[in-house]
Amino acid sequence: MRAEDAILHGCIPVIIMDNVQTVFESILEWEKFSVRVKESEVHLLPQLLAAYTDDQILELQKGIAEVWTRSSGSWFEGRQDALSTMMAWLLSRVVS
């Protein structure tokens, strides 16, 4: 499953790829809503995930809730939505 699909389903993405830039990495703080595991540590995946406390999981879930509204096409006034996320990403690519 792609990370974007996981987010839209309310799941915390677990990224197991070294040296890969995630989508919208220039404008989204992926560490607030995802878990990265080094490829060399994939054999430790169950232990690494089990080590997360309930509070850490809750914080990641809060991050998912925040980013979900940006990627789901929520068009409520005053909220960031998919269009504003795409525009911010394009601007970051042009400016940098």
Side-chain angles (χ1 to χ4, degrees):
M1 180 184 287
R2 294 181 8 198
E4 298 84 7
D5 294 330
I7 292 166
L8 289 175
H9 286 91
C11 300
I12 298 168
V14 177
I15 302 165
I16 309 172
M17 287 193 294
D18 298 341
N19 305 316
V20 171
Q21 186 174 10
T22 53
V23 67
F24 300 126
E25 191 169 286
S26 60
I27 60 170
L28 296 178
E29 297 177 74
W30 279 79
E31 65 276 1
K32 289 188 175 183
F33 59 88
S34 67
V35 173
R36 267 201 191 255
V37 176
K38 294 179 182 178
E39 290 177 10
S40 62
E41 296 177 345
V42 73
H43 66 283
L44 300 172
L45 188 60
Q47 296 92 327
L48 294 171
L49 295 179
Y52 278 85
T53 66
D54 289 344
D55 289 339
Q56 289 173 312
I57 293 169
L58 182 60
E59 286 303 310
L60 290 169
Q61 289 172 331
K62 286 179 184 177
I64 287 289
E66 183 179 317
V67 77
W68 187 87
T69 60
R70 292 187 78 151
S71 58
S72 66
S74 175
W75 300 105
F76 298 108
E77 185 176 334
R79 295 180 107 174
Q80 301 225 332
D81 56 32
L83 178 62
S84 64
T85 298
M86 179 60 77
M87 296 307 290
W89 178 76
L90 288 172
L91 180 62
S92 76
R93 304 285 290 183
V94 171
V95 173
S96 57

